[in-house]
Amino acid sequence: MRFIAANRDPRRLQWLTQIVLDLSDSLGDDASGGALALSKALKFQQALLMEFTWRGLSMARAVTAKAQPLMGRSSKAVREEAGRAIVLVLRCLARFGRIPPTMTLEAPSFVSGWFTTELSDLYNSYTTALPAEGTPERLALKNRIEGTLYVFCHSLLLGHTTSIMPLLKSGFPLMLALQEDADREFAQVGKVVLELVATSVENREVAEGLLGIAESTRMSSSSWRVRQAAVNYFAQVSHSMILDSTLKLRVAESLDKALGDDHLETRTSACFCLAGLLRSLPDERLADFVSRAPKPRRRGAKAQGP
């Protein structure tokens, strides 16, 4: 498929584009065995997007429209391929090369319009109106959330940070909120994406914005798992952007505050994370930590009276 479309004008391949797009409409549902065929049809669409790049704007719009309802399908393979299709749409229309820190990144409006709204709706539904465990509504919500997170996961794994960066702030609260889910396999999806975000973001402005969201979540969340996830994110960001002194000091301050958390697991994570960061902090910051540390009493020393 890519060989056929290589270095070809997309306008001369309208017949092939229409055939590939129609494949995803002529297949059955997941229960009747259509999941495998549907995932293969999405791969054909992705192959054309790889070759058309920015010239295939009309196809990118069509693929986006077809991928939207598929991101909540019951088949995991279909959800993954739908998410990967959105990644390639974003990549085709993204700016190439290294982005200057002062440049504002924007996603295509026909993607960012519905995707940011979808992320907001999913976050509100998960945090305020979560259906009961084991109900079809709960399963459908989890499938939709997982499908949207696959967009971030595949984009960061493929190194397409430029294309996904404008959407990170919209999806970051949802990644943190998933950490309190009783289904640990489902929560692991959010954890993996959080780790990819922490190790992939190079833009300082975006990194500071995500740190602000993590700090506010740590202070306001009632779930210790969510607070612990925010603390772990602080540590990963500090190691990936170790040369940024301002960001590093901000992370150290946030970890210092997390040492007073109500839950032992969160305090322990903050302690380990801060211990790994101490060697890279300025001397005056280290002296401040030492001065506030409890001093052990010498053996045989008498307790001072009032």
Side-chain angles (χ1 to χ4, degrees):
M1 185 66 68
R2 295 188 64 180
F3 177 78
I4 295 173
N7 298 321
R8 297 287 300 275
D9 188 341
R11 293 172 295 183
R12 295 181 176 274
L13 293 177
Q14 288 283 353
W15 60 274
L16 179 61
T17 300
Q18 195 58 48
I19 292 175
V20 172
L21 290 173
D22 290 342
L23 283 176
S24 58
D25 297 331
S26 58
L27 302 173
D29 56 9
D30 298 344
S32 61
L36 180 60
L38 183 55
S39 62
K40 291 182 178 179
L42 292 172
K43 287 181 180 293
F44 281 125
Q45 297 175 8
Q46 296 166 28
L48 289 182
L49 282 174
M50 291 179 190
E51 296 300 329
F52 289 167
T53 62
W54 58 270
R55 299 170 300 163
L57 178 59
S58 60
M59 182 176 183
R61 291 179 181 273
V63 170
T64 302
K66 292 181 179 296
Q68 289 181 31
L70 299 179
M71 295 176 69
R73 291 287 286 262
S74 59
S75 170
K76 182 178 180 180
V78 174
R79 295 196 299 270
E80 282 204 61
E81 294 304 329
R84 192 178 285 115
I86 298 297
V87 170
L88 290 176
V89 169
L90 293 171
R91 182 55 181 166
C92 289
L93 303 177
R95 178 185 174 90
F96 288 91
R98 184 168 291 275
I99 304 300
T102 56
M103 177 172 290
T104 302
L105 299 174
E106 296 182 357
S109 58
F110 60 89
V111 176
S112 61
W114 72 267
F115 195 64
T116 54
T117 303
E118 176 75 358
L119 288 170
S120 178
D121 293 343
L122 291 174
Y123 177 76
N124 293 331
S125 298
Y126 186 83
T127 55
T128 61
L130 185 63
E133 186 67 44
T135 60
E137 292 79 11
R138 177 72 169 266
L139 181 59
L141 178 61
K142 291 170 66 174
N143 288 341
R144 288 172 57 200
I145 292 175
E146 194 175 272
T148 56
L149 292 184
Y150 280 144
V151 177
F152 296 101
C153 186
H154 289 303
S155 181
L156 297 172
L157 283 174
L158 294 173
H160 300 335
T161 55
T162 302
S163 55
I164 200 63
M165 209 173 292
L167 304 173
L168 282 178
K169 289 185 180 180
S170 301
F172 195 70
L174 182 61
M175 302 172 196
L176 288 171
L178 293 186
Q179 301 312 302
E180 65 175 333
D181 199 275
D183 185 354
R184 301 315 300 162
E185 183 177 353
F186 178 61
Q188 181 68 17
V189 179
K191 182 179 180 181
V192 169
V193 182
L194 281 173
E195 293 174 353
L196 289 172
V197 171
T199 56
S200 302
V201 173
E202 299 178 352
N203 187 286
R204 179 178 178 181
E205 182 181 355
V206 175
E208 288 182 340
L210 296 179
L211 272 179
I213 297 174
E215 288 173 348
S216 61
T217 302
R218 187 197 64 79
M219 292 186 293
S220 61
S221 177
S222 59
S223 170
W224 69 266
R225 292 185 184 275
V226 174
R227 299 197 301 272
Q228 186 183 41
V231 167
N232 292 333
Y233 178 78
F234 294 151
Q236 291 160 354
V237 169
S238 66
H239 288 297
S240 61
M241 304 190 74
I242 193 69
L243 298 180
D244 193 321
S245 57
T246 304
L247 199 66
K248 186 167 51 180
L249 289 174
R250 181 177 177 182
V251 169
E253 183 179 353
S254 299
L255 291 174
D256 190 12
K257 294 177 181 178
L259 291 175
D261 193 89
D262 297 335
H263 209 278
L264 175 62
E265 280 79 357
T266 306
R267 295 197 302 270
T268 303
S269 295
C271 181
F272 283 130
C273 296
L274 191 56
L277 187 62
L278 284 179
R279 289 191 176 186
S280 63
L281 294 179
D283 292 340
E284 58 272 14
R285 198 76 178 92
L286 290 175
D288 176 64
F289 277 118
V290 172
S291 65
R292 291 188 290 112
K295 304 301 187 291
R297 204 173 68 182
R298 291 180 301 171
R299 181 179 298 177
K302 296 181 180 180
Q304 297 180 357

